[in-house]
């Protein structure tokens, strides 16, 4: 590891910056893991799109459909391809805490920079503060790597800002991916923004959060490689303009991507987000591939509508 447990916060504040993307995992038609396809995508994302970090084996990557060994292999491939050119944060989320720890130890040993752990499903539990604090403390006590919290509606609840702030005091908590309404993450940023990174996955708010909340990290979803091509890196461009304080220019570039955002939004079937994301990747020349159960594939009509919208959205290939 590049830091000790008690250096984790300072290291993350210095190096965990810019645009980090959540990787979709390509699978072959027979369901097997397309390792070569993933390596090809990672090289494109880093070398061509200048993405600064990758979120591996998360919900976008269909970790819930992968075996334990596949998840470990997913991490190892990402570390090998990213090298020193981009950071890595590995999702080690699972309902079984022993699985979380096993994946966390693998992330440490294979050279990952950080891990992320989503809040567990807590059936019948309504007073969650102590439960969640002890859950993350249990992991922090047993892992040295920097850990990001992750709260999202799929857990059945949202972690309260006060709970997150308490957990943020643990020595190797370095960030939170906070998939919550904006008023909640604004409040948390004002509470602990000088201690850990607070971020959310909604690209629509990224520029406002740089300007109004002084955020330095986009953590993270698929827009960084779905809104951009080697010849059209407008998300990277508006981010760099914003970091340089050139907000008017940044906003113009950001707003110019509205047709692309609209094309994705209006063609994405509500029950098939992963398949749509992978097909959009294929239209961009990336490796998309199949999804695994329980996710559903696009119909031909859905592909045709997506292709038509893609061709009219204005991205320069």
């Amino acid at each position: 590891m590049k830091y000790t447990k008690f250096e984790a916060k300072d290291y993350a504040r210095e190096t965990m910056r810019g645009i980090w993307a959540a990787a979709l995992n390509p699978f072959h038609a027979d369901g097997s893991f397309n390792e070569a396809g993933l390596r090809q995508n990672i090289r494109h994302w880093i070398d061509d799109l200048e993405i600064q970090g990758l979120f591996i084996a998360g919900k976008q990557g269909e970790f819930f459909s992968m075996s334990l060994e596949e998840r470990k292999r997913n991490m190892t491939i990402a570390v090998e391809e990213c090298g020193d050119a981009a950071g890595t944060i590995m999702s080690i989320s699972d309902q079984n805490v022993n699985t979380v720890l096993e994946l966390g130890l693998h992330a440490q040993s294979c050279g990952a920079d950080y891990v992320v752990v989503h809040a567990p499903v807590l059936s019948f539990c309504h007073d969650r503060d102590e439960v969640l604090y002890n859950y993350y403390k249990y992991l922090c006590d047993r892992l040295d790597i920097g850990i990001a919290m992750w709260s999202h509606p799929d857990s059945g609840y949202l972690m309260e800002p006060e709970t997150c702030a308490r957990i943020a005091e643990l020595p190797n908590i370095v960030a939170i991916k906070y998939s919550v309404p904006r008023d909640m993450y604004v409040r948390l940023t004002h509470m602990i923004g000088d201690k850990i990174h607070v971020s959310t996955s909604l690209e629509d708010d990224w520029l406002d959060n740089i300007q109004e909340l002084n955020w330095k990290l986009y953590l993270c979803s698929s827009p960084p490689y779905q809104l951009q091509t080697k010849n059209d890196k407008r998300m990277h461009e508006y981010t760099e303009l914003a970091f340089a304080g050139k907000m008017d220019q940044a906003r113009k570039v950001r707003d110019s991507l509205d047709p692309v955002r609209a094309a994705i939004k209006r063609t994405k079937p509500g029950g098939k987000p992963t398949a749509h994301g992978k097909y959009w990747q294929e239209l961009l020349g990336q490796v998309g591939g199949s999804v695994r159960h329980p996710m559903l594939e696009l119909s031909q009509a859905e592909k045709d509508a997506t292709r038509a919208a893609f061709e009219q959205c204005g991205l320069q290939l």
Side-chain angles (χ1 to χ4, degrees):
M1 287 178 54
K2 302 168 185 175
Y3 54 87
T4 69
K5 175 184 291 193
F6 294 97
E7 295 169 337
K9 278 183 167 60
D10 290 339
Y11 185 83
R13 295 299 297 178
E14 290 299 317
T15 65
M16 200 179 191
R17 289 171 170 258
I19 295 172
W20 290 46
L24 287 159
N25 273 325
F27 299 117
H28 292 293
D30 64 1
S32 59
F33 188 18
N34 185 349
E35 294 188 8
L38 177 61
R39 290 181 186 275
Q40 181 179 323
N41 283 344
I42 291 175
R43 293 264 46 91
H44 168 62
W45 297 338
I46 296 171
D47 298 341
D48 298 332
L49 304 185
E50 300 183 67
I51 291 171
Q52 292 170 278
L54 295 178
F55 186 116
I56 298 297
K59 290 193 298 179
Q60 297 275 2
E62 299 173 79
F63 82 87
F64 45 79
S65 72
M66 300 174 74
S67 70
L68 189 59
E69 289 310 309
E70 284 178 319
R71 293 177 71 181
K72 290 179 180 179
R73 182 64 180 156
N74 198 179
M75 296 179 191
T76 300
I77 290 170
V79 170
E80 289 173 353
E81 292 300 324
C82 287
D84 294 328
T88 55
I89 183 166
M90 310 302 187
S91 173
I92 60 173
S93 304
D94 200 89
Q95 278 299 106
N96 185 310
V97 74
N98 291 325
T99 297
V100 176
L101 285 174
E102 184 174 344
L103 290 169
L105 291 170
H106 178 76
Q108 288 182 177
S109 65
C110 78
D113 292 298
Y114 309 100
V115 297
V116 59
V117 184
H118 70 56
V121 175
L122 296 176
S123 302
F124 312 116
C125 183
H126 302 291
D127 185 5
R128 305 182 187 95
D129 180 79
E130 200 65 27
V131 178
L132 290 168
Y133 178 80
N134 279 280
Y135 177 72
Y136 281 101
K137 185 178 187 302
Y138 183 87
L139 297 174
C140 286
D141 286 348
R142 290 160 178 78
L143 295 172
D144 294 325
I145 197 168
I147 299 173
M149 297 176 276
W150 185 10
S151 179
H152 52 71
D154 293 357
S155 295
Y157 62 92
L158 298 175
M159 293 171 63
E160 293 295 331
E162 291 76 12
T163 300
C164 298
R166 183 184 179 201
I167 295 169
E169 297 294 332
L170 295 168
N172 49 327
I173 295 290
V174 300
I176 180 169
K177 183 178 179 181
Y178 208 24
S179 304
V180 300
R182 193 167 193 269
D183 65 308
M184 290 180 69
Y185 69 67
V186 168
R187 185 151 55 99
L188 182 61
T189 301
H190 291 321
M191 294 168 69
I192 61 169
D194 59 336
K195 295 179 182 176
I196 70 170
H197 288 289
V198 180
S199 187
T200 194
S201 60
L202 189 62
E203 183 269 335
D204 305 54
D205 294 342
W206 171 225
L207 180 57
D208 292 334
N209 292 333
I210 296 173
Q211 183 174 22
E212 298 171 18
L213 301 175
N214 197 33
W215 280 13
K216 302 298 183 185
L217 174 68
Y218 176 80
L219 183 72
C220 52
S221 192
S222 52
Y225 54 83
Q226 292 181 338
L227 298 179
Q228 302 190 101
T229 73
K230 182 177 182 178
N231 299 311
D232 190 346
K233 294 183 283 190
R234 279 178 278 173
M235 185 177 178
H236 175 78
E237 183 182 350
Y238 84 68
T239 297
E240 292 303 307
L241 286 167
F243 284 166
K246 301 175 181 179
M247 289 300 172
D248 290 342
Q249 295 177 53
R251 200 164 297 281
K252 287 179 181 178
V253 177
R254 192 277 307 270
D255 292 349
S256 74
L257 282 167
D258 282 347
V260 186
R261 298 184 187 96
I264 293 172
K265 184 176 181 179
R266 72 172 178 269
T267 59
K268 184 187 297 183
K272 304 177 180 180
T274 309
H276 184 272
K278 292 185 178 186
Y279 185 62
W280 191 272
Q281 282 184 271
E282 291 175 6
L283 294 173
L284 287 165
Q286 300 173 31
V287 181
S290 299
V291 296
R292 285 181 172 177
H293 289 294
M295 309 310 290
L296 299 174
E297 299 285 4
L298 295 183
S299 68
Q300 188 58 52
E302 289 164 338
K303 288 183 177 181
D304 291 344
T306 301
R307 177 182 286 275
F310 174 84
E311 291 174 349
Q312 297 297 317
C313 74
L315 272 177
Q316 301 174 32
L317 295 179

